[in-house]
Amino acid sequence: SQELEQSPQSLIVQEGKNLTINCTSSKTLYGLYWYKQKYGEGLIFLMMLQKGGEEKSHEKITAKLDEKKQQSSLHITASQPSHAGIYLCGAKHYGGATNKLIFGTGTLLAVQP
Amino acid sequence: GAVVSQHPSRVICKSGTSVKIECRSLDFQATTMFWYRQFPKQSLMLMATSNEGSKATYEQGVEKDKFLINHASLTLSTLTVTSAHPEDSSFYICSARPPGRGLADTQYFGPGTRLTVL
């Protein structure tokens, strides 16, 4: 079973629309990381969340971690074609190796101009 | 800051040959580096954790004799795919973790290496 589930698997939005991607863990999270990947390229670090209820924003992207620290959402406001790519959440769990990141299944985002 | 490079970006080799992939942290020292493998339309799977000056820690199911990892310095880790076969064709990505805690817990990723074994 997948420890980290992302939804939706893929998403097509019109430019200018808002969107939300979710990441759900079956275990309590020690840390939650959001990355963006262009196909065939490496991962770009977006944000890290550690505290329950924490929220961080960078430009038009906002990430939140729920109070129970088992679910995170990534919200993009007024999407642009430059936001297109694969969004991956990565997590460290309590009781797991402190260095290891488990990755979600990924969400493919396409933004239509 | 926190830039990680990989070389080569693409490599095509014949079945049975060995291929070395380099991962470098350019502006920080990384005591720990990680090697991942990614199949098309799938997420990243951790292969091994590379620790400077000591043996790598391999994930369950990853053959250590096939995927040799050497972390000889604080800025360089190498992954050698020995006797490569077509099923080893994949996208290999490394990441590096700066020492310390807090945001330093973040892993920074290289651009990846596309390996194709004919």
Side-chain angles (χ1 to χ4, degrees), chain B residues 54-65:
Chain B
S54 64
K55 291 183 179 180
T57 304
Y58 289 82
E59 294 301 299
Q60 192 173 9
V62 178
E63 299 176 58
K64 59 181 68 177
D65 293 332

Side-chain angles (χ1 to χ4, degrees), chain A residues 11-19 60 76-84 109-113:
Chain A
L11 192 56
I12 304 173
V13 299
Q14 291 286 335
E15 182 177 358
K17 296 294 186 182
N18 303 336
L19 64 106
K60 295 186 178 180
I76 299 177
T77 305
S79 59
Q80 300 170 354
S82 60
H83 287 126
L109 170 64
V111 180
Q112 293 181 331

Side-chain angles (χ1 to χ4, degrees), chain A residues 8-70:
Chain A
Q9 285 189 344
S10 62
L11 192 56
I12 304 173
V13 299
Q14 291 286 335
E15 182 177 358
K17 296 294 186 182
N18 303 336
L19 64 106
T20 300
I21 299 168
N22 294 301
C23 178
T24 302
S25 173
S26 57
K27 303 176 183 178
T28 302
L29 300 169
Y30 172 77
L32 190 287
Y33 302 74
W34 282 102
Y35 291 89
K36 178 185 174 185
Q37 182 183 29
K38 293 282 191 182
Y39 180 74
E41 298 181 11
L43 279 65
I44 299 169
F45 170 68
L46 296 176
M47 274 171 278
M48 178 188 75
L49 303 166
Q50 274 192 304
K51 299 176 182 177
E54 187 175 9
E55 179 176 321
K56 288 186 179 178
S57 293
H58 177 66
E59 298 181 344
K60 295 186 178 180
I61 301 176
T62 300
K64 300 179 185 179
L65 182 62
D66 74 337
E67 291 288 345
K68 289 185 177 180
K69 296 175 65 174
Q70 285 188 279

